[in-house]
Amino acid sequence: MYKPMETRDMALEIGRLLNLRKAVMDDNNMAIAAMGVGKSVAVDTIDNIIKYLLDLSREYTEVCWRLRLYGEEATTHD
């Protein structure tokens, strides 16, 4: 079952992607079976997914921080 990002361990999720990356890098047939592309494209795709996850996590943290900051400002100015 899906859980929101804040309740999941990002390091564990990225670790799983890195395990998948290693598996497809070692076996072209596995890359084709798992991702429908050769191992070079599969590895590049996984690298991009990891990058996007890290970027999204950073942006999410910034948004949460700003919301908290603006909420505190709004309550102190009343």
Side-chain angles (χ1 to χ4, degrees), residues 2 4-5 8 10 13 18 20-21 28 32 34 36 42 46 48-50 52 56-57 59 62-64 71 73 75:
Y2 174 79
M5 286 299 288
R8 294 163 69 179
M10 180 68 77
E13 302 295 332
L18 290 173
L20 176 62
R21 182 185 189 279
N28 194 58
I32 292 170
I46 294 168
N48 285 332
I49 291 169
I50 292 170
Y52 295 142
L56 184 61
S57 176
E59 290 177 22
E62 287 179 19
V63 167
C64 288
E73 285 181 4
T75 58

Side-chain angles (χ1 to χ4, degrees), residues 6-25:
E6 65 269 6
T7 64
R8 294 163 69 179
D9 183 3
M10 180 68 77
L12 179 63
E13 302 295 332
I14 291 176
R16 288 179 179 151
L17 286 170
L18 290 173
N19 288 339
L20 176 62
R21 182 185 189 279
K22 183 182 181 324
V24 299
M25 190 166 54

Side-chain angles (χ1 to χ4, degrees), residues 5 17-19 23 27-28 30-33 35 38 44 49 53-54 56 58 60 68 70 72-73 78:
M5 286 299 288
L17 286 170
L18 290 173
N19 288 339
D27 185 350
N28 194 58
M30 182 180 285
I32 292 170
M35 300 184 72
D44 187 55
I49 291 169
L53 277 174
L54 292 172
L56 184 61
R58 180 184 43 77
Y60 174 79
R68 197 168 30 251
Y70 294 151
E72 289 171 5
E73 285 181 4
D78 287 341

